[in-house]
Amino acid sequence: MNRIKRLVLCLGVIIFLCGTSTAQGGVTSREPSRSPLVFLLDARRLQTTKERIRNGDKNAAQAMSKLELEAKKAINGGPFSVVSKLATPPSGDKHDYMSQAPYFWPNPDTPDHLPYIRRDGERNPEINKISDHQNMDRMVSAVDTLALAYFFSGNEAYAAKAAELARAWFVEPATRMNPNLEFAQFIPGVNTGRGIGLIETRGLTRVVDAIGLLAGSKAWTESDQRNLERWFSQFLQWMLDSKHGRDEAAAKNNHGTYYDLQISSFALFVAKKDLAVRTLEAARTKRIAIQIEPDGRQPLELVRTKGWSYSVGNLDGLTLLATLGERVGVDLWNYRTADGRSIRRALDYLVPFAFDEKRWPDQQIGEWQPQLLFPLIRRSAGRYLDRQYQALSKKVPQVDASDRSNLTQ
């Protein structure tokens, strides 16, 4: 990794963060030069929260107390690794990530139950026999928790454990994951992996931010940083060049959204700002204009058996893309096509269903969960400052005082 490029990116992000208006969710830091290099998280908000905690702010104390309890639990977990799975990928290398398609089940009409058949929205418990996905989620959650706890408290024990878990997953020769997803979400009797499997690494965007929170720790060295940047550079290149990556890039639904989210986040992490900017600019026409109808519906999500969950989930991804856009001067929050397709229009469409003002007209098997939309309303209210959204944000139930979002949002 070219260290000069990374320094330039750091400087650019810090300058941008210092210049962004408070209307976009930040407060000017008293120590701008010490702001962490994060992308989905708000660096200035984190720095302000840190100062509040130092000053004994009671409103932050309860959330901080719970965060530290979770961090102390995380210290005793892991390390997590792809090599611990019992199954072996077709490559013969356990360092290759592997997972089974969740919505495919044994075929009742064939003696060997192959090929597996699709039952959308119904998760086959067989997928839990392969531990890679669960272990990756555990690693992401633990590293995220520990890094936040270290940033706010300065406790090196949290940083040391976060660094250990990150090295085990990405760096250590005996346990590291190879930077590819060739065998993700395979369908028995059909294939050994699919582009769709790339959505399983969307949580790694949280790892990228967590590493930014470890900066300055004794536990996270320049060598660690270089090694992790190397891994993400290789994975990013695989996403761009591989057949699976190209397939996911071409996806028009939520899979395309979360592909762009990963490309943009990882590109910023490895100082490829131009790639991030191109991806985010293209999302205007490639994602928003295609996925959202003039009335706000998302047809490619509504065809699913969990239309509400998928509509909210895709919109979540779009608002996260818009958040990354803020970091590099690409405005997705206010992008609007001539016929009205926009992030805001999609949110406006979903709001009445979350507050029982309308009955959901499409499929939603399982439990109805209006609360899925509430975090998106809170996130959007900081960008849409008109009366409608300020009033709407007041209708959303307040999160518990111990909720982590009180520290980060």
Side-chain angles (χ1 to χ4, degrees), residues 163-176:
E164 174 195 331
L165 296 178
R167 290 189 203 103
W169 191 269
F170 299 104
V171 178
E172 296 293 343
T175 57
R176 72 189 294 269

Side-chain angles (χ1 to χ4, degrees), residues 14 28 31 33 62 94 142 156 168 222 229 301 308 362:
I14 290 170
T28 301
E31 299 175 302
S33 63
Q62 194 167 341
K94 284 200 172 185
E156 284 285 343
E222 282 294 315
E229 288 174 1
E301 311 307 327
W308 168 257
D362 297 286

Side-chain angles (χ1 to χ4, degrees), residues 33-201:
S33 63
R34 298 184 186 180
S35 294
L37 184 61
V38 292
F39 306 108
L40 287 173
L41 293 172
D42 186 318
R44 289 183 302 154
R45 181 61 56 84
L46 292 173
Q47 191 65 30
T48 300
T49 300
K50 188 175 185 177
E51 292 169 4
R52 287 169 51 210
I53 292 170
R54 286 174 177 171
N55 294 331
D57 188 321
K58 293 181 180 179
N59 292 328
Q62 194 167 341
M64 185 62 200
S65 178
K66 184 178 180 182
L67 175 62
E68 289 216 73
L69 285 175
E70 293 170 345
K72 288 171 182 176
K73 290 180 182 178
I75 279 182
N76 297 316
F80 308 103
S81 170
V82 290
V83 302
S84 63
K85 59 179 172 287
L86 299 177
T88 301
S91 63
D93 186 352
K94 284 200 172 185
H95 291 272
D96 285 329
Y97 180 95
M98 182 182 183
S99 65
Q100 185 173 324
Y103 299 149
F104 284 79
W105 294 70
N107 191 332
D109 298 325
T110 59
D112 61 359
H113 303 301
L114 299 176
Y116 273 33
I117 57 175
R118 186 171 185 253
R119 288 160 53 178
D120 186 40
E122 301 178 44
R123 298 182 71 84
N124 182 349
E126 283 182 22
I127 65 175
N128 296 323
K129 294 179 181 178
I130 303 173
S131 59
D132 285 356
H133 192 185
Q134 289 180 327
N135 279 337
M136 182 166 60
D137 285 350
R138 292 182 182 119
M139 179 275 297
V140 169
S141 178
V143 170
D144 180 35
T145 294
L146 290 160
L148 273 173
Y150 163 73
F151 179 78
F152 289 131
S153 72
N155 188 332
E156 284 285 343
Y158 300 146
K161 185 63 179 186
E164 174 195 331
L165 296 178
R167 290 189 203 103
W169 191 269
F170 299 104
V171 178
E172 296 293 343
T175 57
R176 72 189 294 269
M177 171 185 162
N178 289 334
N180 72 75
L181 289 176
E182 288 291 342
F183 308 110
Q185 290 210 12
F186 74 89
I187 304 172
V190 178
N191 54 47
T192 59
R194 301 181 295 159
I196 281 176
L198 271 72
I199 202 167
E200 294 188 0
T201 48

Side-chain angles (χ1 to χ4, degrees), residues 381-395:
R383 279 76 177 185
Y384 304 133
L385 301 178
D386 53 80
R387 290 184 179 180
Q388 176 189 348
Y389 266 79
Q390 297 315 298
L392 184 61
S393 65
K394 293 177 181 178
K395 292 175 61 178

